[in-house]
Amino acid sequence: MTSDITTLIKHLRCPALTSDDDIAPYLTDASQAASGRPLAVFLPRTTADTSAILHLASAHQLPVSVRGAGTGLAGGAAAYDGGLVISTEAMTELSIDAAGRLADVQPGVLTATLDAAAQAQGLFFAPDPASATTSTVGGNIATNAGGLRCLAHGVTADSVAALEVVLASGEVIQTGARTIKNVAGLNLTPLFVGSEGTLGVITRATVRLKPLPEGTPYTFAASYDSLEDAGAAVLALTKSGLNLESLELIDHTIVQLINKHHGAGLTAPGAGLLMGLCTGTSAQTDAAQAASICAEQGASSTETAEGLSLMEARRLVFSSIYPEGFTVLGDAGVPVPQLPHFIRRIQEISEATSRPVLITAHAGDGNLHPSVYAGAQGEETESAEAVLAQISAVALELGGTVTGEHGIGSAKLHALEEQLTPATLAAGRAIKAALDPAGILTPGRGI
């Protein structure tokens, strides 16, 4: 049967990689999750290509993994043994409808590329993950990615107007509309946003753009001798009414690593550095007022700066952590008022387990990325993941979530039963069964 499928693969009018060397870059994602040896890696350029691939997979019940740039951190794109991989990297068509404040984009377009094209016409694409220069729009939609601008603009779902999706059967559907208002039929678009390739393959999206803010952006930074105090400052800032686009927190060890690996010259705090971005015509005044609030909330020092330099240093976190050894990265979120309590509990877990936990946070929306060292070669991964499991349990206790933006994939599948009730899980699986009755799309992951 395998030889018959191999013959069919060769007859599809779509580039396919089959040699060990060619498929090697497509076997897993940034999580380095375990993977199998697929029969082929497809590089479709059109919806029709994708439909043909899924017709083949459906007819022979072959498991399919879907990937963009492979920047995912939950093991959602790892290849299946004897399955197929659909990589959307060659799907890079992009057009801007400036009058309608929309962009029509294929899933392989890089997030930063879309944003740059929009900015050239006085607009911008709001979703802004730290990996914007390497992650794709399709991947961001599939995981409902967040990023640095969530405080002001929400997550990716808030910017998606319409989708073209190929179902497991190869059938093509369209969801949403280009209009601002649309209540025709069930609202299926949010169903596919964040579905991690389990319900269909997104082949085109219409996304909303926003006008670029007027004036020069300003950033502010505040050093704290207590991460819990920094968390309390976040609450004061979010209540202030200031025009904050981003509000990020990194602990002192991460600051040192950013300075070490990138020469960023950041002020070394006693415990953590709180950084924010203000935009619009009041940006300079807002940044100064934000710095003043931070001082009132116990900051040991504050600074403001014209431009984006302070915030750009935030994007260097993971490229500074990874050279130090294998790290298991978390992605828990809590309601913002619970942020100081969450930070304190993470520190207590770290002390009780004698394992250092580095903290990076999209502090303004309560999404934390605790990082636990897992040995030079990952030999301590199991114990590091046990620490993250405790942290996730605390997030749920505080009314939060086990994943804010990275998704479930294969890495967090076990945690779904901790957050969702049996009835909720059953409802999700019923939807999966209706759209993918043979269970070929990303089986055993996401839901």
Side-chain angles (χ1 to χ4, degrees):
M1 181 177 176
T2 300
S3 60
D4 293 339
I5 295 172
T6 302
T7 300
L8 291 172
I9 287 171
K10 292 179 179 178
H11 283 86
L12 287 182
R13 295 182 179 180
C14 175
L17 309 176
T18 56
S19 73
D20 289 344
D21 288 343
D22 286 342
I23 69 172
Y26 300 89
L27 297 183
T28 189
D29 56 20
S31 71
Q32 296 300 302
S35 64
R37 204 291 184 189
L39 297 176
V41 174
F42 287 99
L43 306 174
R45 293 185 178 276
T46 66
T47 299
D49 287 345
T50 308
S51 176
I53 296 164
L54 289 176
H55 271 300
L56 172 64
S58 180
H60 296 277
Q61 296 196 11
L62 302 175
V64 178
S65 61
V66 188
R67 62 182 290 118
T71 59
L73 292 162
Y80 295 94
D81 195 41
L84 304 177
V85 175
I86 295 178
S87 173
T88 63
E89 65 183 271
M91 304 180 77
T92 56
E93 293 179 3
L94 164 64
S95 63
I96 304 293
D97 174 7
R101 295 183 183 175
L102 298 168
D104 293 293
V105 57
Q106 284 187 308
V109 173
L110 295 179
T111 311
T113 300
L114 169 57
D115 191 38
Q119 290 199 30
Q121 300 198 43
L123 303 166
F124 74 102
F125 181 54
D128 186 36
S131 60
T133 59
T134 54
S135 64
T136 63
V137 176
N140 291 340
I141 294 174
T143 58
N144 195 16
L148 277 65
R149 294 176 181 156
C150 285
L151 177 61
H153 304 291
V155 293
T156 297
D158 298 304
S159 293
V160 179
L163 295 172
E164 183 173 73
V165 182
V166 183
L167 301 179
S169 63
E171 187 177 9
V172 180
I173 66 169
Q174 287 78 33
T175 75
R178 302 176 69 83
T179 55
I180 294 174
K181 297 177 180 178
N182 172 38
V183 292
L186 295 177
N187 188 6
L188 297 178
T189 303
L191 182 64
F192 290 96
V193 178
S195 65
E196 302 183 53
T198 61
L199 303 181
V201 179
I202 296 165
T203 55
R204 188 172 294 275
T206 299
V207 297
R208 303 194 188 282
L209 307 175
K210 294 189 175 185
L212 280 171
E214 296 182 11
T216 302
Y218 273 77
T219 50
F220 64 91
S223 296
Y224 280 90
D225 295 329
S226 161
L227 286 179
E228 195 173 347
D229 287 347
V234 170
L235 299 184
L237 288 166
T238 55
K239 292 177 181 177
S240 68
L242 297 175
N243 187 19
L244 303 177
E245 184 166 275
S246 303
L247 188 56
E248 302 286 312
L249 175 65
I250 53 179
D251 71 23
H252 69 288
T253 301
I254 293 175
V255 171
Q256 293 170 348
L257 293 177
I258 291 174
N259 288 338
K260 172 184 174 181
H261 291 284
H262 297 282
L266 295 174
T267 300
L273 187 65
L274 186 62
M275 302 179 292
L277 171 64
C278 300
T279 57
T281 55
S282 64
Q284 185 173 11
T285 301
D286 285 347
Q289 290 182 0
S292 177
I293 290 172
C294 288
E296 293 171 1
Q297 294 293 318
S300 57
S301 66
T302 64
E303 62 179 305
T304 62
E306 181 179 334
L308 303 173
S309 58
L310 284 174
M311 292 304 299
E312 288 304 311
R314 163 63 180 83
R315 299 183 188 276
L316 303 175
V317 168
F318 300 120
S319 63
S320 302
I321 291 175
Y322 291 150
E324 300 295 312
F326 195 85
T327 299
V328 176
L329 179 66
D331 174 41
V334 295
V336 176
Q338 297 290 351
L339 186 62
H341 308 295
F342 192 32
I343 290 173
R344 184 182 72 251
R345 295 286 296 277
I346 291 173
Q347 292 175 321
E348 290 172 354
I349 290 171
S350 176
E351 292 171 4
T353 59
S354 299
R355 296 196 69 93
V357 179
L358 307 185
I359 291 179
T360 303
H362 303 301
D365 58 53
N367 184 197
L368 272 70
H369 297 309
S371 304
V372 185
Y373 179 69
Q377 303 299 323
E379 64 273 12
E380 300 172 29
T381 296
E382 186 174 345
S383 56
E385 288 181 342
V387 172
L388 288 183
Q390 291 187 50
I391 292 173
S392 293
V394 171
L396 294 179
E397 180 186 325
L398 296 175
T401 176
V402 298
T403 177
E405 58 183 357
H406 292 168
I408 291 295
S410 57
K412 288 195 172 183
L413 195 61
H414 64 282
L416 276 182
E417 294 184 357
E418 299 169 14
Q419 180 167 337
L420 305 180
T421 66
T424 304
L425 286 169
R429 288 165 182 162
I431 293 170
K432 165 71 170 173
L435 296 178
D436 180 16
I440 65 168
L441 280 175
T442 319
R445 297 175 192 160
I447 58 175

